[in-house]
């Protein structure tokens, strides 16, 4: 685990574009923040079944395998394959895979759903950190694409492809553009000024507010409060983004901090509160299995240890924990599920879910980016357990949709996965989890967008009609009318995967 793969680690991976182009990834993709695990036997079964279904149904429709898998019926076939291997977790029927009309009818049923993705990224035009480009490919491998590796460049995570994948290739209505801090500043995706400029550019082009922006802060680093003042004076963000670990890619990071450090942090909270920018987004979680050895002294800053006090001291602020404080990012497949079945707990995520009981407040939230995507393709039953844990402790009103795209390619497969996911009845009874309900039911509508709309003061009655009539909506309609929308769904991932056996 580190900023760059070692020669030994590189020998074990290959570009995610070499992966099978499935509507749902059939093995884990790493963005370079972790070493991707090998494809499991169950994932191999899923991939084989997807190919069988694609060949069978595609032939009847006069399509080859790849073309079929770009359609709504192809997406349905992938979920059928997942259910075949993991048991019935996703709501899908054979009729959707066999008949494009049936698949389209289901899609039409969620056409008006408001989806706000609070964790999205693109990198600056002059970004040339090739180590990160490969690193991205790994995270995306969850989506399993098969692009020609010779064509993989930083373009895949730059602005043009971002607009294509987020607003044309998915049902996302509004996005939040984020960034990340690195001790080596050459790794930074976008400066705060670039984020602000990008937000203005997208919204001006769209003719509506399609995107909001973070200001990334680096508490403890020289001049960090000067950046707070600069942001407030020159380019007020929609919310703030921080990493309590410091640099998320380096175990030698120099600036970890606690949210409840009164001397360091409370003067910032005072300014944020006074300015009315009260959404504080914090990266926590995503540590390797050997975190105590590989990240000594600093791993604790990724846990929920500092949340009860800060939540109680600042009830007027919203503390949105990115990745939902899920620790077991790249553990051996099944390890986290085995632990959950024994204890009923999910390390760090369960600790997060208990903050309301400890603090007596309701101002802590779990954001789902990457945690949902990775668990969903490794073991969807565990993804259901993770979601159930967050909802049981925090409430459905405090779980937030985020995809961590465009690093994962189009977020559409993740959207479809949540729409179709249900917590199995045996898990509901054993652990006291409530059902998630239908794709456009109360719980999923809250998670997909209503919770975030409330926090970001988006008046959907006034704003939503514009999202369906603006320039991006017109472009999407033109693609659909031309019959080319499905062809845009390249099922591509951009990162690294464990080398596949020949």
């Amino acid at each position: 685990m580190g900023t760059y793969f070692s020669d030994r680690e590189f020998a074990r991976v290959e570009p995610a574009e070499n992966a099978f182009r499935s509507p749902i990834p059939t093995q884990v993709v790493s963005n370079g923040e972790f070493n991707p695990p090998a494809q499991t036997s169950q994932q191999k079964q899923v991939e084989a079944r997807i190919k069988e279904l694609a060949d069978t149904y595609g032939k009847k429709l006069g399509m080859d395998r790849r073309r079929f898998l770009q359609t709504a019926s192809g997406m349905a076939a992938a979920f059928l394959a997942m259910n075949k291997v993991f048991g019935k977790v996703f709501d899908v029927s054979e009729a959707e895979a066999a008949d494009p009309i049936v698949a389209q009818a289901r899609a039409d049923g969620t056409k008006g759903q408001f989806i706000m993705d609070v964790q999205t990224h693109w990198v600056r035009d002059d970004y040339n950190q090739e180590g990160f480009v490969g690193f991205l490919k790994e995270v995306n491998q969850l989506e399993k694409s098969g692009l020609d590796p010779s064509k993989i460049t930083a373009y895949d995570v730059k602005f043009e492809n971002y607009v294509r994948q987020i607003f044309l290739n998915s049902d996302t209505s509004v996005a939040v553009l984020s960034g990340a801090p690195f001790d080596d500043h050459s790794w930074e995706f976008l400066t705060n000024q670039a984020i602000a400029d990008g937000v203005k550019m997208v919204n001006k082009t769209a003719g509506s507010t399609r995107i909001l922006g973070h200001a990334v802060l680096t508490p403890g680093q020289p001049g960090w409060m000067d950046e707070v003042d600069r942001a407030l004076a020159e380019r007020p963000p929609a919310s703030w983004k921080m990493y309590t670990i410091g640099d998320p890619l380096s175990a030698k990071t120099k600036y970890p901090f606690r949210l409840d450090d009164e001397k360091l942090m409370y003067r910032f909270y005072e300014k944020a509160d006074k300015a009315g920018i009260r959404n504080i987004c914090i990266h926590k979680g995503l540590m390797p299995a050997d975190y105590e050895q590989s990240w000594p002294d600093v791993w604790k800053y990724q846990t929920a240890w500092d949340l009860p006090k800060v939540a109680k001291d600042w009830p007027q602020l919203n503390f949105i924990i990115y990745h939902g404080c899920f620790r077991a990012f790249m553990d051996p497949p099944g390890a986290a599920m085995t632990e959950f079945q024994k204890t009923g707990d999910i390390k760090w995520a369960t600790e997060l879910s208990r903050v309301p009981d400890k603090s007596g407040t309701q101002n802590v939230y779990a954001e789902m980016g990457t945690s949902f995507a990775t668990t969903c393709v490794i073991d969807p039953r565990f993804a259901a357990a993770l979601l159930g844990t967050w909802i049981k402790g925090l409430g459905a009103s405090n779980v937030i949709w985020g995809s961590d795209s465009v690093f994962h390619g189009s977020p559409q497969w993740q959207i479809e996965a949540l729409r179709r996911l249900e917590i199995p009845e045996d898990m509901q009874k054993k652990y006291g989890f409530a059902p998630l309900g239908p794709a456009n039911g109360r719980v999923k509508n809250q998670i997909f967008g209503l919770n975030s709309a409330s926090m970001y003061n988006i008046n959907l009655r006034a704003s939503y009609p514009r999202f369906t009539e603006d320039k991006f909506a017109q472009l999407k309609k033109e693609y659909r009318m031309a019959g080319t929308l499905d062809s845009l769904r390249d099922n591509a991932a951009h990162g690294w995967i464990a080398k596949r056996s020949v």
Side-chain angles (χ1 to χ4, degrees):
M1 191 97 173
T3 302
Y4 297 92
F5 284 135
S6 66
D7 291 341
R8 179 177 61 84
E9 289 170 328
F10 263 121
R12 297 178 178 176
V13 300
E14 60 180 307
E17 290 73 19
N18 291 355
F20 169 54
R21 275 197 189 179
S22 167
I24 306 170
T26 57
Q27 71 185 89
V28 173
V29 178
S30 169
N31 60 2
E33 291 181 319
F34 58 91
N35 300 310
Q39 188 179 33
T40 67
S41 60
Q42 288 178 310
Q43 289 173 325
K44 290 179 180 178
Q45 293 174 46
V46 170
E47 182 173 319
R49 183 58 178 160
I50 290 174
K51 291 175 179 177
E52 292 174 3
L53 293 172
D55 291 342
T56 298
Y57 292 124
K59 184 177 180 180
K60 294 178 179 179
L61 296 170
M63 300 179 187
D64 62 20
R65 178 189 293 174
R66 176 168 291 192
R67 178 70 184 100
F68 174 77
L69 291 176
Q70 292 174 324
T71 68
S73 287
M75 180 74 78
F79 284 111
L80 284 173
M82 294 280 279
N83 280 350
K84 177 71 174 179
V85 174
F86 294 104
K88 185 170 175 55
V89 183
F90 298 105
D91 179 18
V92 63
S93 68
E94 291 272 358
E96 289 181 68
D99 189 341
I101 295 177
V102 176
Q104 187 57 52
R106 179 188 171 91
D108 289 343
T110 55
K111 187 177 293 184
Q113 190 170 35
F114 176 73
I115 296 177
M116 184 169 175
D117 191 334
V118 301
Q119 187 177 183
T120 67
H121 303 269
W122 78 66
V123 301
R124 62 185 188 272
D125 286 343
D126 64 348
Y127 198 82
N128 58 6
Q129 192 54 265
E130 289 301 321
F132 185 77
V133 173
F135 158 108
L136 296 176
K137 297 175 182 179
E138 289 186 88
V139 173
N140 302 342
Q141 193 163 356
L142 293 173
E143 307 143 28
K144 270 244 169 202
S145 63
L147 299 180
D148 181 346
S150 67
K151 297 180 180 179
I152 299 306
T153 69
Y155 162 80
D156 296 300
V157 291
K158 290 186 177 179
F159 171 72
E160 183 178 348
N161 195 46
Y162 173 97
V163 172
R164 174 192 175 208
Q165 300 291 13
I166 300 294
F167 294 115
L168 300 183
N169 239 1
S170 86
D171 292 338
T172 303
S173 307
V174 177
V176 177
L177 179 61
S178 191
F182 300 98
D183 291 350
D184 178 351
H185 295 299
S186 69
W187 276 69
E188 292 177 355
F189 311 144
L190 295 170
T191 64
N192 286 338
Q193 183 64 59
I195 290 175
D197 291 343
V199 167
K200 289 181 180 179
M201 175 178 60
V202 170
N203 292 338
K204 181 178 180 180
T205 301
S208 66
T209 303
R210 283 291 192 138
I211 190 168
L212 303 173
H214 279 154
V216 179
L217 302 181
T218 54
Q221 296 191 29
W224 80 277
M225 282 297 292
D226 293 335
E227 174 56 22
V228 173
D229 293 336
R230 187 178 302 112
L232 290 174
E234 301 174 5
R235 37 179 164 74
S239 52
W240 311 94
K241 179 74 177 291
M242 299 183 292
Y243 286 63
T244 50
I245 194 69
D247 184 331
L249 298 188
S250 175
K252 297 180 180 180
T253 180
K254 300 176 182 178
Y255 299 103
F257 65 94
R258 289 181 62 109
L259 293 169
D260 59 0
D261 183 333
E262 295 186 20
K263 184 176 180 181
L264 176 67
M265 297 301 301
Y266 281 36
R267 55 181 177 147
F268 159 67
Y269 299 145
E270 290 175 359
K271 289 192 175 186
D273 182 28
K274 184 177 180 179
I277 304 174
R278 301 184 176 94
N279 294 327
I280 319 294
C281 305
I282 309 107
H283 169 106
K284 280 182 178 289
L286 305 189
M287 287 271 102
D290 67 345
Y291 62 92
E292 292 176 295
Q293 290 75 45
S294 59
W295 289 74
D297 303 321
V298 297
W299 64 264
K300 292 181 180 179
Y301 293 88
Q302 294 282 62
T303 72
W305 65 342
D306 50 359
L307 286 168
K309 174 176 167 52
V310 75
K312 187 173 183 178
D313 288 350
W314 295 92
Q316 68 271 47
L317 303 182
N318 297 317
F319 295 93
I320 307 164
I321 308 306
Y322 274 40
H323 315 295
C325 215
F326 175 56
R327 198 285 302 165
F329 195 27
M330 285 296 115
D331 283 15
M337 186 60 167
T338 298
E339 182 180 6
F340 172 72
Q341 290 173 329
K342 289 181 179 179
T343 66
D345 288 354
I346 298 174
K347 189 162 289 184
W348 301 358
T350 296
E351 183 183 354
L352 172 66
S353 74
R354 291 172 177 160
V355 170
D357 286 339
K358 293 181 178 180
S359 65
T361 64
Q362 289 293 326
N363 59 333
V364 173
Y365 299 77
E367 184 272 345
M368 300 169 59
T370 290
S371 298
F372 178 72
T374 53
T375 57
C376 190
V377 299
I378 293 175
D379 185 347
R381 280 181 61 90
F382 183 72
L386 181 60
L387 193 54
T389 296
W390 287 328
I391 293 173
K392 183 179 179 180
L394 301 171
S397 61
N398 285 53
V399 179
I400 305 297
W401 178 250
S403 70
D404 217 354
S405 294
V406 71
F407 295 159
H408 290 283
S410 170
Q412 187 61 25
W413 74 266
Q414 295 185 54
I415 293 171
E416 283 299 318
L418 180 56
R419 280 173 171 166
R420 296 173 181 272
L421 183 70
E422 183 54 272
I423 299 174
E425 289 187 8
D426 63 303
M427 294 178 68
Q428 292 181 31
K429 293 178 181 178
K430 183 174 181 180
Y431 302 105
F433 294 150
L436 300 177
N440 57 357
R442 180 184 62 83
V443 171
K444 291 178 181 176
N445 278 337
Q446 283 183 294
I447 293 172
F448 270 132
L450 299 185
N451 294 337
S452 293
S454 176
M455 285 194 296
Y456 282 90
N457 297 316
I458 296 175
N459 185 332
L460 292 183
R461 289 187 177 182
S463 301
Y464 193 75
R466 290 199 292 273
F467 300 146
T468 62
E469 299 168 359
D470 66 6
K471 183 63 175 179
F472 289 167
Q474 293 172 22
L475 286 172
K476 197 167 184 177
K477 288 178 182 178
E478 289 173 8
Y479 281 124
R480 186 171 283 125
M481 290 177 65
T484 58
L485 183 59
D486 282 332
S487 66
L488 288 176
R489 294 173 182 156
D490 51 20
N491 295 329
H494 315 295
W496 300 101
I497 59 173
K499 278 191 173 178
R500 296 166 62 84
S501 57
V502 179

